[in-house]
């Protein structure tokens, strides 16, 4: 059972985590040459994705409509949990793309 004191400690920790997330939201832009980005065929412009290497890719797929994208629809870039501490371009794409429901 959660005591009232534990409840407020938990709320406080969530607040700290959210504040930390905002710091990440202002992190550096992910480079296509970053080893992890390159491993996932990341491109900052979805229209530049190599179709031969990524046959399932379509130009309509972009970070901004991916389930993992944490930016707002109007943001030029946003956080992605696959690339902690970096921002991915709203019009970017990687092979872990998963259409937002
Ligand atoms: Fe973009 Fe989604 Fe890949 Fe993250 S997982 S880089 S949001 S396509």
């Amino acid at each position: 059972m959660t005591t009232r004191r534990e409840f407020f400690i938990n709320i406080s920790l969530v607040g700290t985590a959210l504040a930390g997330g905002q710091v990440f939201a202002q992190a550096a832009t992910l480079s296509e040459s970053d080893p992890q980005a390159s491993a996932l065929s990341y491109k900052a412009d979805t229209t530049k994705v190599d179709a031969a290497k990524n046959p399932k890719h379509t130009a309509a797929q972009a970070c901004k409509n991916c389930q993992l994208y944490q930016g707002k629809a109007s943001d030029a870039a946003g956080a992605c949990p696959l690339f902690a501490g970096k921002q991915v371009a709203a019009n970017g794409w990687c092979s872990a793309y998963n259409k937002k429901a």
Side-chain angles (χ1 to χ4, degrees), residues 50-87:
D50 184 338
K53 285 185 188 164
N54 302 284
K56 291 183 179 168
H57 168 265
T58 70
Q61 297 175 351
C63 293
K64 63 186 171 194
N65 57 42
C66 172
Q67 192 99 44
L68 297 178
Y69 186 63
Q70 296 175 344
K72 292 188 216 116
S74 57
D75 290 345
C80 170
L82 295 188
F83 304 103
K86 298 277 170 65
Q87 288 217 311

mmCIF file of all heavy atoms in Angstrom, residues 50-87:
data_model
loop_
_atom_site.group_PDB
_atom_site.id
_atom_site.type_symbol
_atom_site.label_atom_id
_atom_site.label_comp_id
_atom_site.label_asym_id
_atom_site.label_seq_id
_atom_site.Cartn_x
_atom_site.Cartn_y
_atom_site.Cartn_z
ATOM 1 N N ASP A 50 17.726 5.330 -48.947
ATOM 2 C CA ASP A 50 18.125 4.408 -50.013
ATOM 3 C C ASP A 50 17.047 3.317 -50.174
ATOM 4 O O ASP A 50 16.914 2.431 -49.333
ATOM 5 C CB ASP A 50 19.480 3.790 -49.634
ATOM 6 C CG ASP A 50 20.043 2.896 -50.726
ATOM 7 O OD1 ASP A 50 19.255 2.405 -51.572
ATOM 8 O OD2 ASP A 50 21.268 2.684 -50.723
ATOM 9 N N ALA A 51 16.291 3.404 -51.246
ATOM 10 C CA ALA A 51 15.177 2.472 -51.475
ATOM 11 C C ALA A 51 15.665 1.037 -51.666
ATOM 12 O O ALA A 51 14.983 0.092 -51.265
ATOM 13 C CB ALA A 51 14.380 2.922 -52.693
ATOM 14 N N ALA A 52 16.843 0.869 -52.240
ATOM 15 C CA ALA A 52 17.367 -0.477 -52.473
ATOM 16 C C ALA A 52 17.657 -1.186 -51.149
ATOM 17 O O ALA A 52 17.387 -2.372 -50.988
ATOM 18 C CB ALA A 52 18.630 -0.402 -53.318
ATOM 19 N N LYS A 53 18.181 -0.424 -50.186
ATOM 20 C CA LYS A 53 18.511 -1.015 -48.879
ATOM 21 C C LYS A 53 17.291 -1.108 -47.971
ATOM 22 O O LYS A 53 17.285 -1.878 -47.016
ATOM 23 C CB LYS A 53 19.577 -0.157 -48.167
ATOM 24 C CG LYS A 53 20.961 -0.305 -48.727
ATOM 25 C CD LYS A 53 21.927 0.488 -47.857
ATOM 26 C CE LYS A 53 23.309 0.528 -48.475
ATOM 27 N NZ LYS A 53 24.149 1.558 -47.878
ATOM 28 N N ASN A 54 16.275 -0.274 -48.236
ATOM 29 C CA ASN A 54 15.086 -0.215 -47.363
ATOM 30 C C ASN A 54 13.820 -0.332 -48.211
ATOM 31 O O ASN A 54 13.071 0.642 -48.362
ATOM 32 C CB ASN A 54 15.098 1.104 -46.577
ATOM 33 C CG ASN A 54 16.359 1.256 -45.750
ATOM 34 O OD1 ASN A 54 16.512 0.624 -44.710
ATOM 35 N ND2 ASN A 54 17.283 2.063 -46.229
ATOM 36 N N PRO A 55 13.564 -1.521 -48.760
ATOM 37 C CA PRO A 55 12.437 -1.687 -49.694
ATOM 38 C C PRO A 55 11.059 -1.384 -49.107
ATOM 39 O O PRO A 55 10.137 -1.075 -49.868
ATOM 40 C CB PRO A 55 12.547 -3.153 -50.128
ATOM 41 C CG PRO A 55 13.417 -3.812 -49.120
ATOM 42 C CD PRO A 55 14.315 -2.756 -48.566
ATOM 43 N N LYS A 56 10.909 -1.443 -47.787
ATOM 44 C CA LYS A 56 9.597 -1.178 -47.187
ATOM 45 C C LYS A 56 9.355 0.311 -46.932
ATOM 46 O O LYS A 56 8.262 0.709 -46.556
ATOM 47 C CB LYS A 56 9.438 -1.952 -45.876
ATOM 48 C CG LYS A 56 9.328 -3.451 -46.101
ATOM 49 C CD LYS A 56 9.092 -4.169 -44.789
ATOM 50 C CE LYS A 56 8.956 -5.660 -45.028
ATOM 51 N NZ LYS A 56 9.002 -6.426 -43.802
ATOM 52 N N HIS A 57 10.379 1.130 -47.112
ATOM 53 C CA HIS A 57 10.254 2.565 -46.862
ATOM 54 C C HIS A 57 9.385 3.234 -47.919
ATOM 55 O O HIS A 57 9.433 2.886 -49.098
ATOM 56 C CB HIS A 57 11.641 3.209 -46.860
ATOM 57 C CG HIS A 57 11.598 4.695 -46.898
ATOM 58 N ND1 HIS A 57 11.693 5.431 -48.070
ATOM 59 C CD2 HIS A 57 11.417 5.607 -45.910
ATOM 60 C CE1 HIS A 57 11.586 6.710 -47.787
ATOM 61 N NE2 HIS A 57 11.430 6.844 -46.490
ATOM 62 N N THR A 58 8.572 4.218 -47.468
ATOM 63 C CA THR A 58 7.854 5.085 -48.407
ATOM 64 C C THR A 58 8.115 6.524 -47.960
ATOM 65 O O THR A 58 8.406 6.762 -46.780
ATOM 66 C CB THR A 58 6.323 4.845 -48.407
ATOM 67 O OG1 THR A 58 5.785 5.334 -47.169
ATOM 68 C CG2 THR A 58 5.965 3.374 -48.585
ATOM 69 N N ALA A 59 7.992 7.456 -48.881
ATOM 70 C CA ALA A 59 8.265 8.863 -48.572
ATOM 71 C C ALA A 59 7.267 9.436 -47.566
ATOM 72 O O ALA A 59 7.528 10.461 -46.939
ATOM 73 C CB ALA A 59 8.264 9.686 -49.852
ATOM 74 N N ALA A 60 6.115 8.776 -47.400
ATOM 75 C CA ALA A 60 5.118 9.246 -46.426
ATOM 76 C C ALA A 60 5.534 8.917 -44.992
ATOM 77 O O ALA A 60 4.982 9.452 -44.039
ATOM 78 C CB ALA A 60 3.763 8.621 -46.724
ATOM 79 N N GLN A 61 6.510 8.025 -44.840
ATOM 80 C CA GLN A 61 6.976 7.646 -43.503
ATOM 81 C C GLN A 61 8.006 8.670 -43.029
ATOM 82 O O GLN A 61 8.977 8.941 -43.733
ATOM 83 C CB GLN A 61 7.633 6.261 -43.538
ATOM 84 C CG GLN A 61 6.679 5.151 -43.948
ATOM 85 C CD GLN A 61 7.387 3.806 -44.092
ATOM 86 O OE1 GLN A 61 8.610 3.724 -44.056
ATOM 87 N NE2 GLN A 61 6.612 2.759 -44.266
ATOM 88 N N ALA A 62 7.793 9.246 -41.860
ATOM 89 C CA ALA A 62 8.732 10.219 -41.309
ATOM 90 C C ALA A 62 8.655 10.157 -39.790
ATOM 91 O O ALA A 62 7.640 9.730 -39.227
ATOM 92 C CB ALA A 62 8.398 11.620 -41.797
ATOM 93 N N CYS A 63 9.713 10.609 -39.144
ATOM 94 C CA CYS A 63 9.748 10.599 -37.676
ATOM 95 C C CYS A 63 8.492 11.229 -37.089
ATOM 96 O O CYS A 63 7.947 10.735 -36.105
ATOM 97 C CB CYS A 63 10.989 11.333 -37.187
ATOM 98 S SG CYS A 63 12.536 10.488 -37.604
ATOM 99 N N LYS A 64 8.015 12.324 -37.703
ATOM 100 C CA LYS A 64 6.873 13.037 -37.126
ATOM 101 C C LYS A 64 5.598 12.199 -37.085
ATOM 102 O O LYS A 64 4.671 12.530 -36.358
ATOM 103 C CB LYS A 64 6.615 14.347 -37.875
ATOM 104 C CG LYS A 64 6.230 14.176 -39.319
ATOM 105 C CD LYS A 64 6.148 15.517 -40.007
ATOM 106 C CE LYS A 64 5.968 15.313 -41.503
ATOM 107 N NZ LYS A 64 6.215 16.537 -42.255
ATOM 108 N N ASN A 65 5.527 11.110 -37.857
ATOM 109 C CA ASN A 65 4.353 10.238 -37.754
ATOM 110 C C ASN A 65 4.739 8.826 -37.291
ATOM 111 O O ASN A 65 4.028 7.859 -37.547
ATOM 112 C CB ASN A 65 3.529 10.234 -39.050
ATOM 113 C CG ASN A 65 4.325 9.822 -40.267
ATOM 114 O OD1 ASN A 65 5.106 8.892 -40.214
ATOM 115 N ND2 ASN A 65 4.123 10.504 -41.373
ATOM 116 N N CYS A 66 5.881 8.755 -36.595
ATOM 117 C CA CYS A 66 6.358 7.482 -36.030
ATOM 118 C C CYS A 66 5.918 7.413 -34.559
ATOM 119 O O CYS A 66 5.919 8.420 -33.849
ATOM 120 C CB CYS A 66 7.881 7.423 -36.119
ATOM 121 S SG CYS A 66 8.614 6.010 -35.262
ATOM 122 N N GLN A 67 5.577 6.227 -34.148
ATOM 123 C CA GLN A 67 5.148 5.965 -32.770
ATOM 124 C C GLN A 67 6.177 6.438 -31.733
ATOM 125 O O GLN A 67 5.820 6.864 -30.648
ATOM 126 C CB GLN A 67 4.976 4.449 -32.621
ATOM 127 C CG GLN A 67 4.281 3.997 -31.375
ATOM 128 C CD GLN A 67 2.823 3.709 -31.641
ATOM 129 O OE1 GLN A 67 2.505 3.090 -32.632
ATOM 130 N NE2 GLN A 67 1.962 4.162 -30.776
ATOM 131 N N LEU A 68 7.444 6.364 -32.069
ATOM 132 C CA LEU A 68 8.491 6.666 -31.094
ATOM 133 C C LEU A 68 8.852 8.152 -31.015
ATOM 134 O O LEU A 68 9.543 8.571 -30.101
ATOM 135 C CB LEU A 68 9.755 5.853 -31.406
ATOM 136 C CG LEU A 68 9.593 4.337 -31.317
ATOM 137 C CD1 LEU A 68 10.882 3.636 -31.691
ATOM 138 C CD2 LEU A 68 9.168 3.922 -29.926
ATOM 139 N N TYR A 69 8.403 8.933 -31.963
ATOM 140 C CA TYR A 69 8.759 10.359 -32.002
ATOM 141 C C TYR A 69 8.122 11.093 -30.827
ATOM 142 O O TYR A 69 6.930 10.925 -30.561
ATOM 143 C CB TYR A 69 8.287 10.954 -33.318
ATOM 144 C CG TYR A 69 8.708 12.383 -33.545
ATOM 145 C CD1 TYR A 69 10.051 12.725 -33.646
ATOM 146 C CD2 TYR A 69 7.754 13.396 -33.681
ATOM 147 C CE1 TYR A 69 10.437 14.035 -33.877
ATOM 148 C CE2 TYR A 69 8.132 14.702 -33.918
ATOM 149 C CZ TYR A 69 9.478 15.020 -34.014
ATOM 150 O OH TYR A 69 9.855 16.316 -34.247
ATOM 151 N N GLN A 70 8.909 11.903 -30.120
ATOM 152 C CA GLN A 70 8.406 12.594 -28.940
ATOM 153 C C GLN A 70 8.239 14.093 -29.140
ATOM 154 O O GLN A 70 7.860 14.798 -28.212
ATOM 155 C CB GLN A 70 9.331 12.306 -27.749
ATOM 156 C CG GLN A 70 9.308 10.825 -27.403
ATOM 157 C CD GLN A 70 10.289 10.433 -26.316
ATOM 158 O OE1 GLN A 70 11.207 11.181 -26.004
ATOM 159 N NE2 GLN A 70 10.102 9.255 -25.759
ATOM 160 N N GLY A 71 8.521 14.588 -30.339
ATOM 161 C CA GLY A 71 8.315 16.006 -30.614
ATOM 162 C C GLY A 71 6.844 16.278 -30.910
ATOM 163 O O GLY A 71 6.058 15.344 -31.080
ATOM 164 N N LYS A 72 6.491 17.553 -30.969
ATOM 165 C CA LYS A 72 5.118 17.929 -31.349
ATOM 166 C C LYS A 72 5.051 17.945 -32.877
ATOM 167 O O LYS A 72 6.078 18.067 -33.548
ATOM 168 C CB LYS A 72 4.794 19.328 -30.817
ATOM 169 C CG LYS A 72 4.696 19.392 -29.310
ATOM 170 C CD LYS A 72 4.169 20.765 -28.899
ATOM 171 C CE LYS A 72 4.808 21.222 -27.617
ATOM 172 N NZ LYS A 72 5.625 22.401 -27.716
ATOM 173 N N ALA A 73 3.825 17.882 -33.419
ATOM 174 C CA ALA A 73 3.647 17.865 -34.870
ATOM 175 C C ALA A 73 4.276 19.098 -35.516
ATOM 176 O O ALA A 73 4.777 19.026 -36.631
ATOM 177 C CB ALA A 73 2.163 17.789 -35.190
ATOM 178 N N SER A 74 4.282 20.231 -34.807
ATOM 179 C CA SER A 74 4.816 21.472 -35.377
ATOM 180 C C SER A 74 6.331 21.633 -35.193
ATOM 181 O O SER A 74 6.934 22.554 -35.744
ATOM 182 C CB SER A 74 4.099 22.655 -34.726
ATOM 183 O OG SER A 74 4.260 22.582 -33.324
ATOM 184 N N ASP A 75 6.983 20.751 -34.430
ATOM 185 C CA ASP A 75 8.424 20.865 -34.172
ATOM 186 C C ASP A 75 9.239 20.415 -35.388
ATOM 187 O O ASP A 75 8.855 19.472 -36.080
ATOM 188 C CB ASP A 75 8.826 19.992 -32.973
ATOM 189 C CG ASP A 75 8.293 20.518 -31.645
ATOM 190 O OD1 ASP A 75 7.864 21.684 -31.603
ATOM 191 O OD2 ASP A 75 8.301 19.750 -30.676
ATOM 192 N N ALA A 76 10.364 21.068 -35.624
ATOM 193 C CA ALA A 76 11.252 20.674 -36.723
ATOM 194 C C ALA A 76 12.040 19.426 -36.356
ATOM 195 O O ALA A 76 12.503 18.691 -37.226
ATOM 196 C CB ALA A 76 12.206 21.804 -37.061
ATOM 197 N N ALA A 77 12.191 19.179 -35.053
ATOM 198 C CA ALA A 77 12.925 18.016 -34.571
ATOM 199 C C ALA A 77 12.411 17.658 -33.185
ATOM 200 O O ALA A 77 11.763 18.469 -32.527
ATOM 201 C CB ALA A 77 14.418 18.317 -34.520
ATOM 202 N N GLY A 78 12.683 16.433 -32.777
ATOM 203 C CA GLY A 78 12.233 15.997 -31.461
ATOM 204 C C GLY A 78 13.035 14.804 -30.990
ATOM 205 O O GLY A 78 13.842 14.243 -31.744
ATOM 206 N N ALA A 79 12.801 14.423 -29.765
ATOM 207 C CA ALA A 79 13.530 13.302 -29.190
ATOM 208 C C ALA A 79 12.980 11.975 -29.699
ATOM 209 O O ALA A 79 11.824 11.877 -30.110
ATOM 210 C CB ALA A 79 13.422 13.353 -27.668
ATOM 211 N N CYS A 80 13.843 10.978 -29.697
ATOM 212 C CA CYS A 80 13.464 9.599 -30.035
ATOM 213 C C CYS A 80 14.202 8.713 -29.044
ATOM 214 O O CYS A 80 15.417 8.867 -28.882
ATOM 215 C CB CYS A 80 13.883 9.265 -31.464
ATOM 216 S SG CYS A 80 13.713 7.493 -31.830
ATOM 217 N N PRO A 81 13.517 7.805 -28.365
ATOM 218 C CA PRO A 81 14.189 6.982 -27.352
ATOM 219 C C PRO A 81 15.309 6.110 -27.911
ATOM 220 O O PRO A 81 16.174 5.668 -27.158
ATOM 221 C CB PRO A 81 13.052 6.126 -26.773
ATOM 222 C CG PRO A 81 11.909 6.259 -27.712
ATOM 223 C CD PRO A 81 12.078 7.531 -28.463
ATOM 224 N N LEU A 82 15.340 5.896 -29.199
ATOM 225 C CA LEU A 82 16.425 5.087 -29.773
ATOM 226 C C LEU A 82 17.740 5.846 -29.818
ATOM 227 O O LEU A 82 18.803 5.249 -29.926
ATOM 228 C CB LEU A 82 16.061 4.627 -31.195
ATOM 229 C CG LEU A 82 14.874 3.685 -31.323
ATOM 230 C CD1 LEU A 82 14.771 3.183 -32.751
ATOM 231 C CD2 LEU A 82 15.011 2.510 -30.367
ATOM 232 N N PHE A 83 17.652 7.178 -29.760
ATOM 233 C CA PHE A 83 18.853 8.003 -29.851
ATOM 234 C C PHE A 83 18.864 8.979 -28.676
ATOM 235 O O PHE A 83 18.659 10.182 -28.852
ATOM 236 C CB PHE A 83 18.889 8.748 -31.192
ATOM 237 C CG PHE A 83 18.799 7.840 -32.386
ATOM 238 C CD1 PHE A 83 17.620 7.713 -33.098
ATOM 239 C CD2 PHE A 83 19.887 7.078 -32.787
ATOM 240 C CE1 PHE A 83 17.524 6.859 -34.197
ATOM 241 C CE2 PHE A 83 19.802 6.222 -33.876
ATOM 242 C CZ PHE A 83 18.619 6.105 -34.584
ATOM 243 N N ALA A 84 19.057 8.454 -27.492
ATOM 244 C CA ALA A 84 19.001 9.242 -26.259
ATOM 245 C C ALA A 84 19.957 10.427 -26.314
ATOM 246 O O ALA A 84 21.117 10.291 -26.733
ATOM 247 C CB ALA A 84 19.326 8.356 -25.077
ATOM 248 N N GLY A 85 19.445 11.574 -25.918
ATOM 249 C CA GLY A 85 20.279 12.768 -25.849
ATOM 250 C C GLY A 85 20.428 13.485 -27.175
ATOM 251 O O GLY A 85 21.120 14.497 -27.259
ATOM 252 N N LYS A 86 19.787 12.982 -28.233
ATOM 253 C CA LYS A 86 19.876 13.623 -29.551
ATOM 254 C C LYS A 86 18.467 13.919 -30.049
ATOM 255 O O LYS A 86 17.500 13.314 -29.605
ATOM 256 C CB LYS A 86 20.570 12.687 -30.554
ATOM 257 C CG LYS A 86 21.988 12.325 -30.191
ATOM 258 C CD LYS A 86 22.948 13.405 -30.628
ATOM 259 C CE LYS A 86 24.347 13.235 -30.089
ATOM 260 N NZ LYS A 86 25.040 12.070 -30.570
ATOM 261 N N GLN A 87 18.370 14.810 -31.004
ATOM 262 C CA GLN A 87 17.086 15.121 -31.636
ATOM 263 C C GLN A 87 17.091 14.571 -33.051
ATOM 264 O O GLN A 87 18.086 14.706 -33.775
ATOM 265 C CB GLN A 87 16.889 16.631 -31.689
ATOM 266 C CG GLN A 87 16.612 17.222 -30.323
ATOM 267 C CD GLN A 87 15.618 18.347 -30.389
ATOM 268 O OE1 GLN A 87 15.748 19.246 -31.203
ATOM 269 N NE2 GLN A 87 14.641 18.308 -29.540
#
